[in-house]
Amino acid sequence: MDPLELLLQINFVIVASLLIASFSLLIYLLAYYFRSRSARGAAWLLASVIAVYLGDLVLFFVGDPHSAERWLRLQWLGIAIAPAAYAHLTDALLERTGSFSPWRRWAVRGAYGLGITWFLLALWTDLLVHDGTADGHAFHLWAGPLFPLFLVYFIGGVMWGIVNVWRARWRTLISTHRRRMTYLAVTMIAPAIGVFPYLLLVGRTLPSFPVVFWGLVGLSNLIIGTMLFGMAYAVAYLDVLVPDRVIKQRWITYLLRGPVLATFVVLVMFGLSRLSHVLGLPLPLLLPLAAAWAIVSYEILSDAIRPLFEWLFLRRDVSELIRMRRLSDAMITARDLRQFLEGILALMCEALRSPTGFVVRITPNGIEPVAAFGSIEQASIEETLSVVEGSADGPIVADGFWIWPLRSRGEPVLLGAIAVAQPTGEVTLELLQDTIRGWVARAAAALEDRILQERALSALEQVTEEVRRLRQPEQAPSPMPLVEHPEFTHWVKEALAHYWGGPRLLQSPLLQLRIVQQAMETYDGNPIRALRAVLMEAIEQLRPDGERKLTAPEWLLYNLLEMRFIQGRKVREIAQRLALSESDLYRKQRAAIEAVAMVLAEMERRAMRAQEEARSS
């Protein structure tokens, strides 16, 4: 392969990569920073680069000047709007430093209008450019009579943008912001360098030396690509209240999933297409196979190169990021806990030759079955825990079950219990004592870890919500009413479980309800008493008319709520008085809580309507 052919192929790869990178950066800015006027200005600059480089890429496949002329004229969309995009971006930069100017905004709008006018002249007339030609494998147009006037517009617009960005830099007071503004001022020259049609000025001078010409084109495109990434990276920090680490992590993830992946696929497809004649395979078959292979193999490659990107962008935070990933991998979900305890229970049932067993945990809402095998209707869970409450170790015999208490590793707090029905055959526990003790210890550790994790996640959720609110003060509050939140019923359940006190009642989101805020006026500003009164009112609205009956179906929900949460009776006692099994009682309890949530939602909506009517009147 001669040097010129090699340079042409290298330039094709560079232009394709630069086009992918520009498009990826445009999507990145619009997806994450659309609210920022600075980001929208930078997006217009990237759009101008995309229009020009898309034409350059197509021209590699065009064989004659007549066919190339149409694409050369279309490229003028990017060339013509670039100065307006500079004015747009730099006006936004000046505004963020406190320099507001109505005439500058009108100048930006006028620049966009003038850019569209220049594009239409280039597309439909010969006043700006004319007659496509080819010199040294390089297609270009000739300058028309209006090109000197356009040159004044282009240079003036770009220079105005450069002057404004340096003005914005000098107006910046914070040293960190000034440093980033310096990066932006330097790198934003790249679009002007990349889109300007130099061949209209130099004519046949450079294309007469094709090797030198294409070598310079390739080198300049590499520099332009690097500067475009720097420009987008600098814009990402403007007008965004997010820690640097979050921006850098988002940047790394997007680079690996977007432009790096796309460039890798293009390189693989391009390389194999050049080898199709060697491999003896048709190109329509080879390209899909090459794309599929590149995408699949990149999954492994991305894991290998991610540490390099993190070292480049996050070298001070790498150790903490590794700790965060390890913690994430060690997290245990509710499903994980259930499956793990089911596994331990299954091992114990198999070893003790018993088909029946269960695991329960103690929660703020009461006793919660976690795992079970066989029928456990005969087992009294409340009785089971009352038996093991004062014991230090197992097994304890009760109701035909061998029961092992599950306690925390530090203070001997009862977390739950694991029970296996005594088999009818002769089973000796002594031989399995050490093995079972290990299983019980692992079950207790899993329960304790889950409890600690739930506490940590609850605290993190509060912190996350506060950080989210602080990061996005420019956004309007969410229009979603509290009663329509997906967690509303869960909040009602927690508030009822802590009806007579507890930290979750003080931290309940239900305190934000209008009906609770209004009730606080009656209860001397005490939020706990106000919430308790609102919950009581909601429960009372579920009370049927007439004389109270314990076993009547229409009284079931009210009786359950009143005895369970207001009186605080035990589940077993309530089940006996209402003539229900404990498992059926838990199902009815969920329905009762949902009914309370519906009543509260309607009460809140009525309060909202009343408040709106009062304002309108």
Side-chain angles (χ1 to χ4, degrees):
M1 186 181 296
D2 63 90
L4 179 58
E5 182 66 21
L6 179 61
L7 279 174
L8 287 173
Q9 293 191 13
I10 291 174
N11 271 277
F12 171 80
V13 173
I14 293 174
V15 170
S17 302
L18 191 55
L19 181 61
I20 292 170
S22 301
F23 181 74
S24 301
L25 294 174
L26 172 64
I27 298 300
Y28 175 79
L29 291 178
L30 294 179
Y32 291 108
Y33 307 103
F34 183 77
R35 290 179 176 274
S36 168
R37 188 164 178 257
S38 305
R40 293 198 298 272
W44 277 108
L45 269 179
L46 290 170
S48 69
V49 173
I50 291 170
V52 172
Y53 278 94
L54 178 60
D56 286 346
L57 189 68
V58 173
L59 290 175
F60 279 100
F61 299 94
V62 175
D64 62 277
H66 179 72
S67 301
E69 183 174 344
R70 180 170 59 254
W71 292 99
L72 289 169
R73 289 180 182 274
L74 286 172
Q75 281 184 307
W76 274 81
L77 175 62
I79 298 170
I81 67 171
Y86 271 100
H88 184 172
L89 172 58
T90 54
D91 178 49
L93 295 176
L94 283 171
E95 284 188 355
R96 72 182 302 277
T97 63
S99 174
F100 296 91
S101 173
W103 75 264
R104 207 167 53 225
R105 283 230 174 181
W106 281 107
V108 171
R109 295 166 186 159
Y112 276 118
L114 192 56
I116 295 299
T117 302
W118 285 119
F119 167 64
L120 294 176
L121 289 173
L123 185 64
W124 299 113
T125 73
D126 291 336
L127 295 174
L128 188 57
V129 289
H130 65 88
D131 297 335
T133 186
D135 292 319
H137 295 84
F139 294 102
H140 66 90
L141 300 170
W142 293 109
L146 294 183
F147 182 75
L149 190 59
F150 170 80
L151 194 61
V152 172
Y153 157 76
F154 188 92
I155 295 176
V158 173
M159 291 304 298
W160 185 39
I162 292 174
V163 169
N164 281 344
V165 75
W166 282 102
R167 282 181 58 203
R169 181 201 177 273
W170 287 112
R171 289 178 58 85
T172 303
L173 302 177
I174 308 303
S175 59
T176 303
H177 291 177
R178 184 177 299 169
R179 184 181 70 250
R180 291 169 181 165
M181 198 71 77
T182 303
Y183 298 155
L184 182 58
V186 173
T187 55
M188 67 180 293
I189 302 172
I193 299 174
V195 304
F196 187 78
Y198 299 100
L199 291 181
L200 270 71
L201 298 177
V202 299
R204 294 185 176 86
T205 304
L206 283 178
S208 300
F209 307 93
V211 175
V212 175
F213 171 75
W214 287 107
L216 290 174
V217 169
L219 180 61
S220 64
N221 284 337
L222 287 175
I223 296 173
I224 290 168
T226 304
M227 294 175 72
L228 286 177
F229 273 103
M231 183 187 75
Y233 185 64
V235 170
Y237 283 95
L238 301 176
D239 307 326
V240 178
L241 298 177
V242 177
D244 290 2
R245 178 189 58 80
V246 175
I247 296 176
K248 291 176 181 178
Q249 282 185 297
R250 183 186 295 165
W251 179 257
I252 292 170
T253 300
Y254 186 78
L255 286 181
L256 292 176
R257 293 180 179 176
V260 176
L261 170 60
T263 304
F264 178 70
V265 173
V266 168
L267 289 175
V268 171
M269 294 176 66
F270 178 75
L272 288 180
S273 67
R274 298 298 176 180
L275 297 175
S276 60
H277 64 283
V278 178
L279 299 174
L281 295 173
L283 201 58
L285 172 65
L286 189 62
L287 290 182
L289 292 176
W293 177 86
I295 292 172
V296 173
S297 60
Y298 180 79
E299 286 298 314
I300 299 175
L301 179 63
S302 63
D303 291 337
I305 63 178
R306 176 178 280 274
L308 174 62
F309 278 76
E310 290 179 346
W311 182 83
L312 289 173
F313 291 97
L314 294 162
R315 64 184 68 182
R316 295 181 180 178
D317 300 321
V318 168
S319 60
E320 290 190 47
L321 288 175
I322 293 174
R323 284 185 61 196
M324 291 169 65
R325 289 199 190 102
R326 288 175 179 170
L327 287 173
S328 177
D329 294 338
M331 298 291 275
I332 179 171
T333 66
R335 183 179 176 84
D336 293 338
L337 177 66
R338 181 177 60 80
Q339 292 177 341
F340 180 74
L341 294 178
E342 278 183 353
I344 290 180
L345 181 60
L347 289 173
M348 294 179 65
C349 287
E350 292 290 350
L352 297 175
R353 311 306 302 158
S354 175
T356 306
F358 63 87
V359 183
V360 295
R361 60 176 293 199
I362 300 175
T363 70
N365 298 327
I367 299 166
E368 176 185 309
V370 180
F373 292 114
S375 175
I376 59 170
E377 292 293 334
Q378 60 177 327
S380 170
I381 297 177
E382 294 273 1
E383 187 67 25
T384 296
L385 289 182
S386 66
V387 169
V388 302
E389 182 70 40
S391 62
D393 203 353
I396 303 160
V397 179
D399 290 338
F401 279 80
W402 282 326
I403 306 165
W404 288 264
L406 302 176
R407 300 186 182 278
S408 59
R409 285 163 287 192
E411 299 179 0
V413 178
L414 184 64
L415 306 175
I418 185 166
V420 175
Q422 290 179 286
T424 56
E426 193 74 31
V427 176
T428 304
L429 283 174
E430 285 74 12
L431 297 176
L432 298 171
Q433 194 68 270
D434 293 338
T435 303
I436 291 178
R437 187 180 293 113
W439 289 337
V440 170
R442 294 184 64 185
L447 273 179
E448 184 178 14
D449 291 344
R450 175 63 184 173
I451 292 172
L452 293 174
Q453 178 183 304
E454 287 175 344
R455 292 173 182 170
L457 288 176
S458 178
L460 282 174
E461 285 174 358
Q462 297 179 20
V463 173
T464 302
E465 179 64 23
E466 182 65 19
V467 171
R468 186 196 63 78
R469 186 183 64 80
L470 292 174
R471 285 178 182 173
Q472 299 178 342
E474 73 279 3
Q475 295 185 3
S478 173
M480 177 188 293
L482 195 68
V483 295
E484 295 180 9
H485 196 283
E487 294 292 319
F488 182 69
T489 303
H490 176 69
W491 296 336
V492 173
K493 176 184 177 182
E494 287 192 336
L496 289 171
H498 294 77
Y499 184 84
W500 292 111
R504 292 198 181 182
L505 196 62
L506 186 59
Q507 300 168 1
S508 175
L510 301 183
L511 295 174
Q512 303 172 22
L513 292 172
R514 284 179 172 83
I515 51 178
V516 176
Q517 298 293 323
Q518 294 171 1
M520 287 174 60
E521 300 175 3
T522 307
Y523 292 94
D524 301 325
N526 189 317
I528 301 299
R529 294 178 61 195
L531 178 54
R532 192 178 294 143
V534 168
L535 291 172
M536 173 63 79
E537 182 181 351
I539 293 173
E540 286 299 318
Q541 290 191 27
L542 295 174
R543 181 188 178 107
D545 295 331
E547 186 179 354
R548 182 174 181 176
K549 299 178 182 179
L550 287 179
T551 57
E554 65 271 16
W555 282 87
L556 178 59
L557 296 185
Y558 175 78
N559 289 335
L560 193 155
L561 290 166
E562 200 270 339
M563 286 191 282
R564 181 76 176 93
F565 300 112
I566 307 303
Q567 298 182 21
R569 295 174 183 266
K570 291 185 177 181
V571 171
R572 184 183 184 187
E573 181 183 354
I574 299 172
Q576 290 176 348
R577 297 196 64 184
L578 298 180
L580 297 172
S581 66
E582 293 184 18
S583 58
D584 193 26
L585 179 65
Y586 281 112
R587 287 193 294 270
K588 299 299 183 183
Q589 178 176 300
R590 285 194 295 270
I593 293 171
E594 291 173 359
V596 174
M598 292 175 62
V599 172
L600 285 173
E602 183 58 31
M603 292 168 60
E604 179 70 4
R605 293 189 184 99
R606 285 200 302 266
M608 292 172 63
R609 287 194 296 267
Q611 190 173 24
E612 290 173 359
E613 291 173 0
R615 288 176 180 174
S616 60
S617 61

